[in-house]
Amino acid sequence: MLSAKSLFREILDNDESFRLFCSIAASGESQGGWENARIAALVPPSERGFARKIARHGADEDKHGRIFNALMKKRGLEPVGVPPDTDYTMLLERHGIGLAHEKLRSDRPLTVRDIVTYLAHSRVTEQRASEQMRLLRKHFADHPDVGRAVKMISRDEDDHLAYCHEELLRFAYAGHGRAIQRTLRECALAEIRVYRDVSLAVMAHMGRVLGWPRPKAVALAAGIHAVYAYERAAGWRRMVSLRMPERRDALGGPATVAPEFA
């Protein structure tokens, strides 16, 4: 019987699939770190006080990338190139979601609208990241190799999601509510398509590495399509709601370090 736990365990127990999984994850986290660092450097003068939280977000993402690389190093593995069809971050950019890298590479200050776009994009993607890490924490919190990393990253992703809720509500109260809701909906609908495509690509690559029989590969693909159908019908709405988080100012302090990994 296929289950999330058995699937992840199979991936974690094989060096080649584990290396591919960690390489994809490390690349995405490192890219997120760069994006947040650039946004922090380009915030408009009216939001300079907000820059430290954006920088903290980026520092956390960089830390996660180092953790995934350290997990590979611990098993004597080297990172592999990330297949383009599994590059979640770049595929989102190609769909026009978030801030274009061309804009982030320039030295022109961002606008408040750009910051709202960044936060809406982050609120949607951090929802996905928080859910994925909670699933891994549920099944692998006590795993001897990845348990400690899973718990640390999961806590950070929950903080990132809380930060997005709080800051978007701040901008909504300042008069940007309609723009926020419109951008959230656009981001959510695009993200679920990209997530489906990336999930299919990752499972196809894992299937080749692990030698999955065709019936298993077909069943997994069908499951991914079923999740997309649910998200397209109604599930995307969880990504666009806003509520004040229980933990306020989640990114108000300095980034936590991970000396045992980095």
Side-chain angles (χ1 to χ4, degrees):
M1 178 180 177
L2 289 175
S3 67
K5 183 176 182 178
S6 65
L7 181 64
F8 278 118
R9 183 169 294 281
E10 188 175 359
I11 291 170
L12 295 178
D13 287 348
N14 178 279
D15 280 349
E16 288 305 307
S17 56
F18 181 75
R19 178 165 71 160
L20 178 59
F21 171 79
C22 288
S23 296
I24 293 171
S27 175
E29 296 286 357
S30 297
Q31 185 64 46
W34 176 83
E35 290 175 356
N36 278 277
R38 291 301 302 152
I39 293 167
L42 297 173
V43 294
S46 62
E47 293 296 329
R48 289 308 306 173
F50 180 40
R52 63 186 178 86
K53 293 185 180 182
I54 303 174
R56 160 72 189 277
H57 189 180
D60 283 347
E61 302 289 2
D62 280 336
K63 178 183 69 179
H64 300 167
R66 295 195 304 272
I67 287 173
F68 282 114
N69 281 314
L71 289 173
M72 285 187 280
K73 184 177 180 181
K74 185 177 179 180
R75 284 171 61 163
L77 304 173
E78 292 293 329
V80 294
V82 175
D85 55 355
T86 69
D87 196 330
Y88 173 79
T89 303
M90 293 306 299
L91 289 171
L92 283 173
E93 187 196 3
R94 289 178 190 171
H95 281 74
I97 301 304
L99 299 179
H101 285 183
E102 181 180 355
K103 177 175 288 191
L104 297 183
R105 291 190 184 99
S106 76
D107 292 325
R108 184 177 303 171
L110 300 173
T111 65
V112 171
R113 179 58 190 276
D114 289 331
I115 298 301
V116 168
T117 297
Y118 148 71
L119 281 170
H121 168 246
S122 295
R123 187 263 176 271
V124 170
T125 56
E126 292 297 340
Q127 178 78 37
R128 183 73 72 185
S130 177
E131 290 172 353
Q132 289 184 319
M133 293 311 302
R134 286 185 184 186
L135 179 64
L136 287 175
R137 187 175 65 193
K138 175 182 176 181
H139 295 303
F140 297 103
D142 297 325
H143 191 281
D145 292 331
V146 303
R148 187 164 46 182
V150 163
K151 288 185 285 188
M152 177 178 290
I153 296 173
S154 182
R155 286 193 300 269
D156 286 347
E157 301 296 6
D158 288 346
D159 283 347
H160 297 168
L161 184 56
Y163 144 83
C164 291
H165 276 272
E166 184 173 4
E167 295 301 330
L168 281 170
L169 285 171
R170 177 171 68 86
F171 279 102
Y173 296 148
H176 299 278
R178 289 187 178 181
I180 288 170
Q181 284 302 317
R182 181 173 62 251
T183 308
L184 281 172
R185 187 178 189 278
E186 292 172 355
C187 286
L189 293 176
E191 193 278 342
I192 63 173
R193 291 194 300 271
V194 170
Y195 181 71
R196 174 201 60 191
D197 294 344
V198 168
S199 296
L200 289 169
V202 170
M203 288 300 104
H205 286 285
M206 292 297 177
R208 286 190 286 271
V209 169
L210 294 168
W212 287 340
R214 178 169 173 75
K216 181 174 183 176
V218 169
L220 287 170
I224 292 168
H225 283 293
V227 169
Y228 172 72
Y230 161 72
E231 292 196 326
R232 185 65 182 83
W236 63 272
R237 297 181 186 278
R238 78 191 189 284
M239 296 179 163
V240 303
S241 63
L242 292 175
R243 64 183 184 279
M244 190 59 69
E246 292 183 8
R247 183 175 182 189
R248 305 286 294 273
D249 198 27
L251 298 189
T256 57
V257 296
E260 65 271 37
F261 297 111

